[in-house]
């Protein structure tokens, strides 16, 4: 049989497969989310997310050193305060849980890069991502508080801020506030295409933001829509976003691809709590090879176009890179 084209030629030798691999994953591109709870001596298992924990600021260095030891270089913090109110004042309190966490992290493990999640949902008594007016979130009244939150996090030591609220215009407002405060070099990672997803369930329990009434569909995106995501991306780019994020990841690989094709800035994807919980549950029951599925799903996100991956599996992926199972 005369075949001039034989794709298998490049698959026969493992060294050749490694040499021509199209998608490569680096530990430097991984971002590990950590939940920090106000209090002391806390290392609390998160039942909805096996293997993940809440830490208090004083026990946090243990988790940071563990992540750094695995080769993870970037951390994103989510705060769980004791006190919540209508306006989420602990989000922008100079001595709030995230602000104190940043100070401790920068002192104890300064080599890591720290990203502050900028939102109100963990801090409001109603659980929504902004100031409530009637039955909805008041977009424009929320913006100054988001800007205040971002500035307070950077003042406390954050290397980057990541607004996740999905209010219109928040990137521009936060950029101006940071610049006016003298933080012109602090990057903004925008949750640009954030969908109103059912995959967030375990996170809301873990972060204590599951107390809201109604839903977040007036500000998070309808998961039927593709063009709307590109509009959100374009708006955030115009307002000064330095990194664009798509969230969730696995059900939105098409959005990651289209975002990568049009974005002049780096693209991040957030593999969210529901994705994590499903893999852990199936692995615990012996239904899948857990490590193999972690490797395959992470690779699919990078293959779709993500250059940065926010994932609760960051440490496992870093270890698999060392083992040669991924990357």
């Amino acid at each position: 049989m005369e075949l001039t084209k034989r794709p298998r030629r490049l698959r026969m030798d493992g060294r050749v497969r490694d040499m021509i691999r199209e998608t490569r994953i680096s530990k430097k591109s991984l971002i590990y989310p950590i939940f920090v709870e106000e209090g002391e001596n806390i290392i609390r298992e998160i039942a909805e997310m096996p293997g993940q924990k809440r830490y208090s600021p004083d026990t946090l260095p243990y988790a940071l050193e563990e992540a750094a030891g695995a080769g993870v270089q970037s951390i994103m913090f989510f705060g769980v305060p004791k006190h919540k109110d209508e306006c989420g004042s602990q989000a922008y309190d100079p001595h709030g849980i995230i602000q104190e966490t940043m100070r401790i992290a920068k002192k104890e493990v300064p080599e890591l890069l720290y990203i502050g999640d900028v939102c109100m949902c963990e801090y409001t008594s109603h659980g929504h991502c902004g100031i409530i007016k009637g039955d909805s979130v008041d977009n424009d009244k929320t913006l100054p508080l988001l800007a205040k939150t971002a500035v307070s996090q950077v003042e406390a030591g954050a290397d980057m801020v990541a607004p996740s609220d999905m209010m219109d215009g928040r990137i521009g407002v936060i950029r101006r506030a940071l610049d006016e405060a003298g933080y012109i070099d602090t990057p903004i990672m925008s949750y640009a295409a954030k969908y109103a997803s059912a995959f967030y369930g375990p996170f809301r329990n873990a972060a204590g933001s599951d107390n809201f009434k109604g839903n977040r569909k007036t500000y998070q995106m309808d998961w039927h829509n593709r063009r709307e995501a590109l509009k959100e991306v374009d708006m955030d780019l115009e307002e000064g976003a330095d990194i664009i994020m798509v969230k969730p990841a696995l059900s939105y690989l098409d959005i990651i691809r289209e975002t990568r094709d049009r974005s002049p800035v780096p693209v991040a994807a957030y593999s969210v709590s529901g994705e994590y919980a499903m893999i852990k549950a199936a692995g615990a029951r012996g239904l899948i090879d857990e490590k193999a599925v972690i490797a395959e799903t992470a690779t699919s996100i990078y293959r779709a176009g993500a250059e940065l991956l926010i994932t609760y599996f960051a440490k496992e992926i870093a270890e698999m890179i060392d083992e040669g199972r991924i990357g």
Side-chain angles (χ1 to χ4, degrees):
M1 182 177 295
E2 295 185 6
L3 292 176
T4 57
K5 296 181 180 180
R6 292 181 180 268
R8 289 186 63 197
R9 291 185 189 120
L10 298 181
R11 303 177 195 148
M12 301 305 292
D13 188 315
R15 295 166 298 180
V16 175
R17 291 195 300 272
D18 290 343
M19 180 178 67
I20 67 163
R21 179 169 289 167
E22 298 175 27
T23 302
R24 299 186 183 275
I25 302 173
S26 166
K27 289 190 280 188
K28 296 178 180 179
S29 68
L30 298 169
I31 301 170
Y32 183 44
I34 295 180
F35 299 93
V36 187
E37 180 177 350
E38 192 172 0
E40 295 180 348
N41 300 316
I42 297 170
I43 300 179
R44 194 189 313 277
E45 294 281 345
I46 299 173
E48 300 84 0
M49 300 173 65
Q52 302 303 306
K53 301 178 179 67
R54 284 185 184 178
Y55 299 89
S56 52
D58 60 313
T59 62
L60 176 65
Y62 164 79
L64 300 179
E65 289 166 2
E66 187 177 59
V72 176
Q73 297 187 6
S74 301
I75 305 294
M76 180 179 284
F77 287 130
F78 295 91
V80 184
K82 286 183 177 178
H83 173 72
K84 302 186 180 194
D85 55 32
E86 288 290 312
C87 58
S89 61
Q90 289 298 299
Y92 44 86
D93 188 318
H95 298 287
I97 179 61
I98 289 297
Q99 290 78 2
E100 292 299 330
T101 292
M102 287 293 179
R103 294 185 182 98
I104 290 174
K106 294 292 282 189
K107 178 182 178 181
E108 298 295 331
V109 192
E111 66 269 25
L112 294 177
L113 180 126
Y114 296 109
I115 304 168
D117 175 76
V118 177
C119 195
M120 310 291 289
C121 62
E122 296 115 302
Y123 307 94
T124 54
S125 53
H126 46 74
H128 279 283
C129 299
I131 300 300
I132 292 292
K133 182 180 180 181
D135 295 327
S136 184
V137 171
D138 189 315
N139 190 95
D140 294 4
K141 285 187 177 180
T142 299
L143 294 179
L145 300 183
L146 295 170
K148 193 174 180 180
T149 299
V151 171
S152 72
Q153 290 183 359
V154 177
E155 287 175 341
D159 299 296
M160 183 183 298
V161 292
S164 61
D165 56 284
M166 287 301 286
M167 297 298 115
D168 293 341
R170 86 265 200 225
I171 300 302
V173 170
I174 290 171
R175 182 72 273 161
R176 287 191 293 275
L178 289 173
D179 290 354
E180 289 170 2
Y183 300 112
I184 60 173
D185 294 324
T186 299
I188 298 174
M189 177 191 293
S190 167
Y191 287 65
K194 180 180 178 181
Y195 285 84
S197 172
F199 284 97
Y200 301 150
F203 172 93
R204 288 173 179 164
N205 292 327
S209 60
D210 57 346
N211 56 314
F212 66 95
K213 295 180 180 179
N215 57 60
R216 294 182 171 133
K217 293 183 179 180
T218 65
Y219 45 102
Q220 295 178 3
M221 289 178 50
D222 183 344
W223 38 262
H224 296 83
N225 295 353
R226 178 185 62 83
R227 294 193 305 273
E228 185 183 15
L230 304 181
K231 178 175 71 174
E232 292 279 3
V233 166
D234 288 345
M235 287 175 60
D236 286 2
L237 289 172
E238 290 171 6
E239 292 175 24
D242 300 286
I243 299 170
I244 292 292
M245 187 200 302
V246 176
K247 180 185 180 182
L250 288 178
S251 292
Y252 300 87
L253 297 177
D254 57 325
I255 307 301
I256 296 172
R257 179 72 267 164
E258 293 207 47
T259 299
R260 172 65 280 156
D261 288 345
R262 78 193 287 121
S263 173
V265 305
V267 174
Y270 196 147
S271 185
V272 300
S273 59
E275 298 167 19
Y276 174 88
M278 288 192 302
I279 291 173
K280 293 297 290 185
R285 294 187 62 187
L287 301 177
I288 59 171
D289 179 334
E290 184 175 310
K291 280 197 170 184
V293 170
I294 293 169
E296 187 173 344
T297 53
T299 300
S300 75
I301 297 166
Y302 283 95
R303 190 181 65 240
E307 295 149 288
L308 305 170
L309 177 59
I310 305 162
T311 173
Y312 301 97
F313 287 123
K315 291 183 293 184
E316 290 88 340
I317 293 170
E319 291 166 359
M320 283 190 278
I321 290 173
D322 288 338
E323 297 166 356
R325 295 188 58 165
I326 188 173

